[in-house]
Amino acid sequence: MFPAVACWLALFAAGPLAAASLDGPRPAGHVLDTVGLLAPDDVAAIERVAEGVATASGGDLMVVVTATTGGQPHRAYATALFNRWQLGSAERNDGLLIFVALDDRKAEIVLGDGIDDHVRERASQRIMDRVLIPEFKAGRPAAGLRKAA
């Protein structure tokens, strides 16, 4: 098992490419790639991980790739998207969003309040520092997103 996958499963255990837009309702799948970065096998792999998280813990993982936030602060934009789509269950607030704005060269991991504690914050930061950012810098953004999920 990839270390990042183990970290994500630990986040939840401890407590399709859609024709949708960021402005619309939540897409049916767990991946929204508005720029076409992810190949179908990347989307399928992330969908499998998200379904595994949902099955194992009831958690809700979503991955979003867009070009830009249009000048809006990235964290605020990702958090607003997380809240608008109501990721995670209302009772547990256990949603998780991996958000990337490619042209802006920014990425965020947003945790629902129900799983946002120091241990999980550190785990998500390790995933950013050891997986997502290095893969993006190496020119392998799709691999980074697959591994981060």
Side-chain angles (χ1 to χ4, degrees):
M1 181 179 312
F2 290 114
V5 172
C7 286
W8 282 125
L9 290 175
L11 286 173
F12 287 105
L17 184 61
S21 74
L22 296 176
D23 297 327
R26 179 182 176 165
H30 296 95
V31 178
L32 176 60
D33 177 4
T34 66
V35 299
L37 172 74
L38 300 170
D41 62 322
D42 297 318
V43 173
I46 294 168
E47 289 287 349
R48 283 190 301 275
V49 169
E51 288 300 323
V53 167
T55 299
S57 68
D60 190 8
L61 167 65
M62 184 82 184
V63 173
V64 173
V65 182
T66 191
T68 182
T69 62
Q72 295 182 42
H74 299 93
R75 183 71 179 183
Y77 188 96
T79 301
L81 186 62
F82 178 100
N83 290 332
R84 184 170 61 249
W85 286 348
Q86 300 176 347
L87 300 181
S89 78
E91 301 82 38
R92 293 186 312 269
N93 200 357
D94 57 355
L96 185 148
L97 172 65
I98 301 173
F99 176 84
V100 174
L102 280 180
D103 293 350
D104 299 341
R105 301 175 56 96
K106 297 290 182 182
E108 299 287 343
I109 297 176
V110 179
L111 303 174
D113 287 342
I115 60 170
D116 190 6
D117 59 28
H118 294 296
V119 171
R120 293 177 179 112
E121 285 175 14
R122 284 193 304 271
S124 65
Q125 190 60 53
R126 278 193 308 273
I127 290 167
M128 287 288 288
D129 294 343
R130 297 180 186 171
V131 177
L132 199 57
I133 293 169
E135 290 288 352
F136 270 69
K137 285 182 177 181
R140 299 182 301 263
L145 285 165
R146 280 178 79 153
K147 291 176 183 178

